[in-house]
Amino acid sequence: MSPERPLEVADPERRTRAISAIGLEKSYGRGDRRVKVLDGIDLTVERGTVFSLLGPNGAGKTTAVRILATLADADGGTARVAGYDVRTQRRQVRRAVSLTGQFASVDEKQTGEENLRMMARLGGLSRPAARRRAAELLERFDLTAAGRRLTGTYSGGMRRRLDLAAGLVGEPEVIFLDEPTTGLDPRSRQELWRVVRDLSAGGSTVFLTTQYLEEADQLADRIAVLDGGRLVAEGTAAELKSRVSGHRLDVVVADAAAYERLAPLAVQRSADTLTLGLPTDGTATRVRALLDEIDPERRDVVSFTVHSASLDDVFMALTGRAKTTKEPTHV
């Protein structure tokens, strides 16, 4: 990263921006196999908000998090987290952030309480203060009853909540959650969503990467879509949805020939059910006109329904591909 004057604690930006990045670049590999994972991205995250970074596998989401959390160096660009430069002030950044990834990193041979007390002691708290902090966090994350059980007996959702609690021992200003609900059942996901909402309501800044578009829709104040190492869109969920029209017309067509003919117009496709999703404003006039446009002979469309646009529609329209389920750990 290019040199930049170290930030002072009193920098005005610190009072409003939790994260600020300009022109971040990162490549992996060598020679002809060198791949640019981040291609000059800019990010701004206001304090006390939930910011979500979406993108298909290999888009660079995890790489961006690793750079902002000082776990990797950028090849170019600058970034500040909690008012500190991630290149020249790594120690200050690390004191100000926590990072929870896709897999819980708790010690299975210790109880939940012991895990938290250990983290508190490593953070410099005295024994009495560590006990108090552990008790506070167990209560906050609804783990008090399980606090003296070995974490090896915890469910996936409980382990993930304990992992997040451990990251909050030092009361970080910025919390990075890198696909934290991967592999969790729906109930556990809902529990973690509640925790994220509580953190945001308490003034914490949350930077969330996720493969679940519904998750970003439910939690994020602002969303950025990353594709091919570049940011292709940013805004609120409503703003992004408006880019692909406010609604979607789902049509079931009569046969494969009709499906192939209309597929290029669709933002959602299902070959198995011969269903295509087409953008529309949702008005009766436009729906009638669209049906006449795609099926003037009235032979191809078997049935149709109208839905509000979703982030899935945004994802498909902006990235040109279906969402996938797992991103390489190094990207």
Side-chain angles (χ1 to χ4, degrees):
M1 297 179 68
S2 56
E4 185 174 350
R5 175 182 63 85
L7 290 175
E8 301 296 333
V9 172
D11 193 301
E13 184 178 279
R14 179 177 169 84
R15 292 192 288 267
T16 60
R17 293 182 179 177
I19 298 172
S20 178
I22 300 174
L24 287 186
E25 297 181 357
K26 182 67 176 180
S27 298
Y28 289 105
R30 295 181 179 180
D32 295 339
R33 294 186 177 182
R34 192 164 179 81
V35 177
K36 180 164 280 190
V37 181
L38 296 180
D39 191 9
I41 69 168
D42 300 336
L43 290 171
T44 298
V45 180
E46 301 299 322
R47 293 175 64 85
T49 63
V50 178
F51 181 92
S52 183
L53 189 62
L54 292 178
N57 290 349
K61 301 186 300 296
T62 296
T63 294
V65 168
R66 288 178 59 81
I67 290 171
L68 294 173
T70 76
L71 298 179
D73 292 325
D75 298 332
T78 60
R80 301 171 180 177
V81 177
Y84 300 110
D85 187 285
V86 300
R87 184 184 65 85
T88 62
Q89 297 177 297
R90 291 173 180 267
R91 181 178 299 179
Q92 292 93 325
V93 172
R94 290 175 180 177
R95 288 176 177 172
V97 307
S98 74
L99 170 61
T100 297
Q102 299 177 30
F103 307 100
S105 57
V106 297
D107 186 345
E108 294 186 355
K109 295 182 179 180
Q110 294 192 98
T111 67
E113 181 182 12
E114 287 169 343
N115 269 276
L116 296 180
R117 287 170 59 183
M118 177 184 68
M119 293 300 298
R121 291 288 286 154
L122 291 173
L125 296 185
S126 66
R127 292 182 186 278
R131 284 195 296 270
R132 288 193 298 270
R133 185 64 177 149
E136 292 169 1
L137 289 168
L138 288 171
E139 181 176 1
R140 180 176 183 179
F141 287 85
D142 195 24
L143 292 169
T144 300
R148 296 190 176 182
R149 281 170 43 195
L150 293 178
T151 57
T153 68
Y154 284 15
S155 67
M158 292 170 67
R159 288 165 56 86
R160 202 61 56 82
R161 297 206 309 275
L162 181 65
D163 195 30
L164 184 51
L168 299 181
V169 165
E171 300 182 285
E173 296 181 43
V174 180
I175 302 163
F176 290 102
L177 302 180
D178 189 18
E179 299 194 10
T181 61
T182 297
L184 295 185
D185 60 77
R187 182 183 296 276
S188 295
R189 286 178 61 205
Q190 291 282 347
E191 291 174 350
L192 203 63
W193 288 5
R194 175 185 58 78
V195 170
V196 172
R197 293 189 184 100
D198 290 345
L199 290 171
S200 178
S204 297
T205 303
V206 179
F207 188 104
L208 171 73
T209 73
T210 179
Q211 60 181 307
Y212 301 113
L213 305 185
E214 180 191 6
E215 194 160 271
D217 201 358
Q218 289 284 330
L219 299 176
D221 297 297
R222 291 188 68 78
I223 300 167
V225 181
L226 187 64
D227 187 37
R230 295 186 178 186
L231 288 181
V232 295
E234 183 177 347
T236 64
E239 289 168 347
L240 293 179
K241 291 173 187 177
S242 70
R243 295 185 59 160
V244 294
S245 297
H247 293 76
R248 188 183 77 240
L249 175 68
D250 285 354
V251 297
V252 178
V253 296
D255 52 41
Y259 180 88
E260 292 299 325
R261 179 174 65 82
L262 297 175
L265 305 176
V267 295
Q268 289 235 345
R269 308 171 187 86
S270 174
D272 292 339
T273 61
L274 297 178
T275 302
L276 297 164
L278 307 170
T280 178
D281 62 7
T283 64
T285 298
R286 179 56 189 152
V287 169
R288 291 192 190 99
L290 185 56
L291 288 170
D292 287 340
E293 179 182 336
I294 65 174
D295 188 16
E297 301 298 325
R298 300 189 178 184
R299 294 181 301 188
D300 292 336
V301 175
V302 176
S303 62
F304 69 89
T305 54
V306 179
H307 303 276
S308 295
S310 69
L311 280 184
D312 289 273
D313 301 315
V314 175
F315 194 94
M316 288 289 292
L318 294 178
T319 68
R321 69 188 90 177
K323 65 174 182 171
T324 48
T325 58
K326 187 177 181 181
E327 182 179 348
T329 56
H330 67 282
V331 175

